């Protein structure tokens, strides 16, 4: 259908591209030359010397049964990553109705900036291993763990299969979750209130924890975690510990409080010696899990060590619950 529509439009639009999903090719199939641009989980056959930021977009997809484009992950990825200055329209094949997606794109970008703020406020991050068959997923997990550690956050790797609200509700200690999946298997935006904690993409965690990441409006939206790893043209390395980027003042746009520095300078840095260490003082380690437990209304059974009197063990009942030995047959 896309090729038939492109045939009708080429007399009016000379420079017309037809994208296709970036599905993995069989091992024995020859690779096309030149290789098309892979972005947003799709292939774009760009001509030499052209860039994707020069093109507007016309998306054909969706259905009459689900008119809300918020629940279409393919369209959401394109709206988030497309150049804001270029037009973007969509068409529903069932009804033939077209609409301008500029307003919807603005809402998704605002939602993404909100998720980045939630990730900056988070102290404990849950890394969801949503794929174990895509290349370099172990490198991506190691990169995200190093990223959270450099930002002063705790991270835990969880392998739960497909994330659902019921599964993630079993981990209330997590402030945010980050889904590590293939570009075509990213989690679709869920209705408000479905998940107990927000679910982010690796690109949003990178924007929250890496102070060298470009500011909003200049940073690309990457759907594949491999684009964040070393060797990719989009990779932005973490600044060294002595960099001033770690000490940049930052205020939370959600709580309005001043955030602490993302990382500490080395101990031999004279700029951080405002407090004189004393050998007689004990160093107490702050645990996010212990802090979370202290604020819970129910903290489990009280051990009451040393307060329970010691008694001799007695023989219990024998048998199974349906018929103990000391019960009558009737």
């Amino acid at each position: 259908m896309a090729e038939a529509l492109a045939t009708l439009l080429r007399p009016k639009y000379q420079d017309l591209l037809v994208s296709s999903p970036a599905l993995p090719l069989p091992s024995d199939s020859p690779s096309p030359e030149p290789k098309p641009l892979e972005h947003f989980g799709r292939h774009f056959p760009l001509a030499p010397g052209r860039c994707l930021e020069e093109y507007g977009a016309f998306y054909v997809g969706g259905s009459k049964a689900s008119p809300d484009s918020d629940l279409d992950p393919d369209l959401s990825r394109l709206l988030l990553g497309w150049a804001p200055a270029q037009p973007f329209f969509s068409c529903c094949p069932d009804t033939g109705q077209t609409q301008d997606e500029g307003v919807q794109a603005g809402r998704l970008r605002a939602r993404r900036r909100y998720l980045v703020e939630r990730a900056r406020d988070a102290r404990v991050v849950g890394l969801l291993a949503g794929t174990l068959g895509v290349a370099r997923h172990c490198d991506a997990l190691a990169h995200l763990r190093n990223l959270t550690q450099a930002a002063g956050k705790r991270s835990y790797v969880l392998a739960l299969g497909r994330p659902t609200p019921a599964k993630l509700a079993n981990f209330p200690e997590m402030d945010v979750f980050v889904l590590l999946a293939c570009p075509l298997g990213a989690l679709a935006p869920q209705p408000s209130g479905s998940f107990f904690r927000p679910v982010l993409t690796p690109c949003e965690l990178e924007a929250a924890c890496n102070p060298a990441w470009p500011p909003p409006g200049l940073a690309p939206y990457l759907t594949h975690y491999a684009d964040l790893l070393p060797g990719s043209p989009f990779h932005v390395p973490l600044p060294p510990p002595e960099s001033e980027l770690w000490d940049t003042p930052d205020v939370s746009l959600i709580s309005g409080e001043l955030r602490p520095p993302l990382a500490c300078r080395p101990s031999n840095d004279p700029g951080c010696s405002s407090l004189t260490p004393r050998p007689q003082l004990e160093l107490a380690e702050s645990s996010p899990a212990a802090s979370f437990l202290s604020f819970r209304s129910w903290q489990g059974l009280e051990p009451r060590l040393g307060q329970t009197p010691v008694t001799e063990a007695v023989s219990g009942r024998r048998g199974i619950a349906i018929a103990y030995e000391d019960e009558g047959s009737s």
Side-chain angles (χ1 to χ4, degrees), residues 172-173 291-299:
E173 297 84 0
S291 301
F292 179 84
L293 182 63
S294 62
F295 287 102
R296 295 185 64 171
S297 60
W298 187 79
Q299 301 179 1

Side-chain angles (χ1 to χ4, degrees), residues 84-168:
Q86 297 297 335
F88 199 112
F89 291 85
S90 66
C91 175
C92 179
D94 296 342
T95 62
Q97 182 180 3
T98 61
Q99 64 178 356
D100 187 359
E101 297 290 348
V103 176
Q104 184 64 32
R107 293 175 180 173
L108 290 176
R109 294 190 186 99
R111 172 67 178 175
R112 179 178 179 244
R113 288 192 290 268
Y114 166 76
L115 293 177
V116 172
E117 287 294 315
R118 288 291 300 268
R120 287 172 178 167
D121 290 342
R123 299 180 60 191
V124 184
V125 180
L127 304 178
L128 303 178
T131 177
L132 299 177
V134 181
R136 305 190 69 183
H137 73 275
C138 291
D139 298 339
L141 281 175
H143 172 74
L144 296 181
R145 297 195 68 177
N146 294 334
L147 188 66
T148 54
Q149 183 180 4
K153 306 179 188 298
R154 297 287 184 92
S155 63
Y156 299 90
V157 180
L158 306 174
L160 305 176
R162 179 175 178 82
T164 61
K167 290 180 181 178
L168 301 188

